[in-house]
Amino acid sequence: MALTREEREAFLAEPHIAALAVDGGTGRGPLTVPIWYWYEPGGDVWIMTGRTSRKYERIQAAGRFSLMVDRLEPTIRYVSVEGPVLRTDPATLEDLRRMSARYLPADKVDGYVEFAWKNHGEQVVVHLRPERWVSSDLGQV
């Protein structure tokens, strides 16, 4: 059964690991990778990635991408969102800290942020405007 707008937005706002999918380019299937993301109901989605990554290269070329999040318990539920890239900004230390705090235990955030800031290279924040949604809750399957 499809989720209501409120249900799908609330589900996407939870800290799931998303599968990001973007056109893989000529002669290749879609590039699909796990990624952290940020979303608040009614807003846009943003991700962080390396400025020189293949992921970012493909997002720039396509101008849009999709995210899909799911769970198995207490019911099988998923939300997929697709849309255009609104803008890309250089990532800040605060962006990295905010995203890390969403996914990591509080006592691990500072260490991860310090490591990532020093070792992951230049990062960008890519903003997506949710345009198309697909969602379902399969109940007690």
Side-chain angles (χ1 to χ4, degrees):
M1 171 168 258
L3 302 176
T4 66
R5 177 181 178 167
E6 293 77 19
E7 289 171 328
R8 72 183 186 210
E9 288 185 351
F11 185 72
L12 189 62
E14 296 171 4
H16 303 281
I17 303 297
L20 179 146
V22 64
D23 177 47
T26 304
R28 295 186 76 161
L31 173 64
T32 306
V33 295
I35 195 163
W36 291 352
Y37 69 94
W38 188 276
Y39 176 73
E40 293 178 6
D44 298 322
V45 177
W46 62 271
I47 61 162
M48 286 181 65
T49 191
R51 188 184 59 75
T52 61
S53 68
R54 179 164 181 260
K55 182 181 344 155
Y56 182 55
E57 170 192 305
R58 297 311 314 150
I59 289 170
Q60 283 184 295
R64 61 191 314 112
F65 62 95
S66 298
L67 293 178
M68 193 282 297
V69 298
D70 65 346
R71 71 167 193 214
L72 298 177
E73 295 180 2
T75 60
I76 299 170
R77 179 177 278 199
Y78 71 88
V79 169
S80 178
V81 61
E82 181 257 332
V85 172
L86 293 176
R87 71 180 192 280
T88 301
D89 303 314
T92 66
L93 190 57
E94 183 52 38
D95 294 330
L96 178 58
R97 183 170 305 287
R98 184 177 183 198
M99 185 71 79
S100 299
R102 175 174 164 86
Y103 289 96
L104 298 175
D107 64 330
K108 302 293 184 190
V109 172
D110 289 340
Y112 176 79
V113 168
E114 181 179 338
F115 171 82
W117 194 252
K118 288 180 182 175
N119 295 290
H120 288 173
E122 186 179 349
Q123 301 283 302
V124 292
V125 174
V126 182
H127 298 263
L128 171 140
R129 163 91 19 92
E131 191 174 74
R132 292 185 184 92
W133 297 76
V134 178
S135 64
S136 185
D137 190 313
L138 301 178
Q140 299 297 323
V141 174

